[in-house]
């Protein structure tokens, strides 16, 4: 049986790889907040909205694999309420409350904007740190007309675990996200090269039992 230190070392490797994205300071047409259980993403979205001079803030997310039966309202509704408290004008916020996965965040979000005649050219994805890379890959495939950048909370793996106080769920989610970079490459997401040491860490964690969200087969 592996030690806790070994497990967290592999978790840290996945976290560092999955959160490795390039941010940008240029103006953007809108911000898309990726729904989920981490309300800090709403803070990230509000900050990006002001820093990038965006016109719209699109909150996405109904109830997903880690929020169904947990959150009192749709992820996007909770995000929107928090963004309003943080000063984002209510009239600049759009809510997409049907999506249950990352692909739907972008597909349904795109439909919502198109219905309103909004056709952005540049967008910022606000996401959990370890969702940054996969969110970009999904957006690039599902909504290629937009030039995307990513905004995430700048935090270490240790700090993130201490803040969230649920390391088991976070490890399970990261393992599932890492697998999806390969499983969905070229279909739901743009291909992202996963270095072999990172893939080996994924395999060890899955074997340790952190496989709640691992796809079968």
């Amino acid at each position: 049986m592996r030690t806790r230190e070994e497990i967290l070392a592999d978790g840290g490797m996945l976290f560092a790889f999955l959160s490795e994205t390039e941010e940008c300071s240029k103006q953007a047409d809108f911000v898309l907040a990726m729904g989920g259980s981490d309300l800090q993403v709403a803070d990230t979205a509000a900050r990006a909205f002001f820093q990038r001079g965006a016109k719209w803030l699109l909150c996405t997310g109904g109830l997903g694999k880690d929020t169904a039966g947990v959150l009192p309202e749709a992820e996007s509704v909770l995000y929107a309420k928090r963004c309003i408290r943080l000063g984002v004008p209510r009239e600049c916020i759009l809510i997409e409350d049907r999506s249950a996965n990352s692909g739907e965040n972008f597909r349904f979000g795109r439909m919502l904007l198109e219905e309103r005649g909004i056709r952005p050219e540049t967008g910022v994805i606000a996401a959990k740190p370890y969702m940054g890379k996969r969110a970009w890959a999904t957006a690039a495939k599902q909504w290629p007309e937009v030039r995307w950048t990513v905004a995430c909370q700048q935090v270490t793996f240790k700090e993130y675990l201490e803040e969230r106080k649920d390391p088991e769920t976070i490890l399970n989610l990261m393992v599932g996200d890492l697998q999806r970079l390969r499983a969905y490459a070229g279909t739901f997401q743009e291909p992202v090269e996963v270095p072999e040491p990172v893939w080996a860490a994924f395999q060890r964690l899955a074997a340790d039992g952190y496989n709640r969200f691992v796809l079968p087969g």
Side-chain angles (χ1 to χ4, degrees):
M1 181 177 294
R2 298 207 301 153
T3 67
R4 188 65 175 171
E5 288 72 21
E6 290 173 324
I7 290 171
L8 291 178
D10 280 344
M13 185 182 297
L14 263 62
F15 187 88
F17 174 71
L18 290 169
S19 62
E20 184 181 52
T21 57
E22 290 187 12
E23 292 202 34
C24 179
S25 60
K26 294 182 180 179
Q27 192 274 338
D29 294 330
F30 81 118
V31 176
L32 185 148
M34 295 285 290
S37 59
D38 185 354
L39 289 179
Q40 176 67 40
V41 174
D43 296 46
T44 300
R47 183 167 59 253
F49 175 84
F50 291 115
Q51 289 178 346
R52 303 288 296 277
K55 299 176 184 177
W56 305 98
L57 197 163
L58 173 60
C59 295
T60 67
L63 293 171
K65 62 189 178 188
D66 61 328
T67 58
V70 176
L71 295 181
E73 296 180 278
E75 300 156 2
S76 56
V77 174
L78 294 175
Y79 279 23
K81 289 179 178 179
R82 185 161 180 83
C83 287
I84 290 170
R85 289 197 296 270
L86 292 169
V88 178
R90 186 184 299 268
E91 62 270 19
C92 295
I93 295 177
L94 299 170
I95 297 175
E96 180 288 301
D97 61 359
R98 297 187 299 128
S99 57
N101 58 58
S102 58
E104 290 179 351
N105 288 147
F106 293 102
R107 290 198 301 275
F108 294 169
R110 177 179 183 171
M111 291 168 56
L112 182 65
L113 264 61
E114 288 179 345
E115 288 170 358
R116 287 159 174 75
I118 302 170
R119 291 177 173 78
E121 296 180 357
T122 54
V124 183
I125 307 164
K128 295 176 290 190
Y130 61 84
M131 265 295 294
K133 194 179 293 290
R134 193 163 82 86
W136 179 89
T138 305
K141 186 70 174 179
Q142 301 293 336
W143 203 341
E145 294 84 0
V146 173
R147 297 191 303 277
W148 294 101
T149 55
V150 179
C152 297
Q153 179 188 11
Q154 299 302 302
V155 64
T156 67
F157 182 52
K158 180 180 179 181
E159 291 168 342
Y160 194 78
L161 291 183
E162 289 173 349
E163 287 179 6
R164 300 301 173 272
K165 304 186 187 305
D166 189 3
E168 303 306 305
T169 296
I170 292 169
L171 285 166
N172 274 286
L173 286 167
M174 287 198 306
V175 167
D177 278 357
L178 194 287
Q179 183 203 27
R180 282 162 175 77
L181 283 178
R182 283 195 175 180
Y184 292 163
T187 53
F188 298 111
Q189 301 170 2
E190 283 296 305
V192 173
E193 182 179 355
V194 179
E196 286 306 318
V198 176
W199 188 253
F202 150 77
Q203 291 177 312
R204 288 192 294 268
L205 288 168
D208 288 330
Y210 296 100
N211 54 13
R212 191 190 318 170
F213 303 117
V214 168
L215 298 169

